[in-house]
């Protein structure tokens, strides 16, 4: 059974940076997508960034150029480096991984509306 544990959230001022970490265990997928999603109060969950088993990545338009998704060398850790944070980035951030042959963009759009989620990690950006 796949288990996910997100961490690294916090409170920062606009323009600040945070690095989120997701420790993933229990998966043995060869073809997969991993990604970060977020849900702000009163809004639907949305995809932020995703990466597939070939290393191809995709980002939501709202975070392109500011966020970077990466995997640890052991592929069991997923990171999200968030720079130049804005108040609209305030949300609970979740990670997910699925065995899939979808590309990261398609998977990210599909996955936001389905599946189970962990507790996530809160990111608050305010002055």
């Amino acid at each position: 059974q796949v288990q996910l544990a997100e961490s690294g959230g916090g409170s920062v001022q606009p323009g600040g940076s945070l690095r989120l970490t997701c420790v993933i265990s229990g998966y043995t997928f060869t073809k997969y997508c991993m990604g970060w999603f977020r849900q702000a109060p009163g809004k639907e969950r949305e995809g932020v960034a995703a990466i597939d088993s070939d290393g191809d990545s995709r980002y939501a338009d709202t975070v392109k150029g500011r966020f970077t998704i990466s995997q640890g060398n052991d592929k069991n850790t997923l990171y999200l480096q968030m720079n130049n944070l804005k108040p609209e980035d305030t949300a609970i951030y979740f990670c997910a991984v699925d065995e899939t042959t979808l590309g990261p963009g398609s998977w990210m759009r599909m996955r936001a509306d389905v599946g189970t989620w962990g507790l996530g990690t809160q990111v608050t950006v305010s002055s």
Side-chain angles (χ1 to χ4, degrees), residues 3-104:
Q3 293 186 320
L4 306 158
E6 304 97 340
S7 64
S11 295
V12 298
Q13 293 185 340
S17 298
L18 285 172
R19 189 194 198 199
L20 305 185
T21 299
C22 176
V23 177
I24 307 170
S25 60
Y27 87 100
T28 58
F29 310 144
T30 300
K31 292 290 289 183
Y32 60 81
C33 282
M34 297 179 173
W36 288 96
F37 300 78
R38 67 187 181 186
Q39 187 166 22
K43 295 188 176 181
E44 295 185 347
R45 198 186 320 266
E46 62 177 357
V48 175
I51 188 168
D52 69 10
S53 47
D54 294 325
D56 189 22
S57 60
R58 291 292 186 269
Y59 296 88
D61 288 342
T62 53
V63 307
K64 281 181 182 177
R66 300 188 297 122
F67 291 11
T68 303
I69 190 171
S70 62
Q71 292 178 277
N73 289 335
D74 61 1
K75 309 299 184 184
N76 290 327
T77 309
L78 186 67
Y79 301 103
L80 185 69
Q81 178 65 44
M82 305 186 296
N83 297 329
N84 190 21
L85 283 160
K86 303 178 180 180
E88 51 263 44
D89 295 318
T90 295
I92 301 175
Y93 284 70
F94 305 86
C95 60
V97 59
D98 291 320
E99 183 174 33
T100 181
T101 55
L102 291 174

Side-chain angles (χ1 to χ4, degrees), residues 99-116:
E99 183 174 33
T100 181
T101 55
L102 291 174
S106 297
W107 175 78
M108 189 168 65
R109 286 188 292 274
M110 178 275 298
R111 187 59 166 85
D113 297 326
V114 300
T116 58

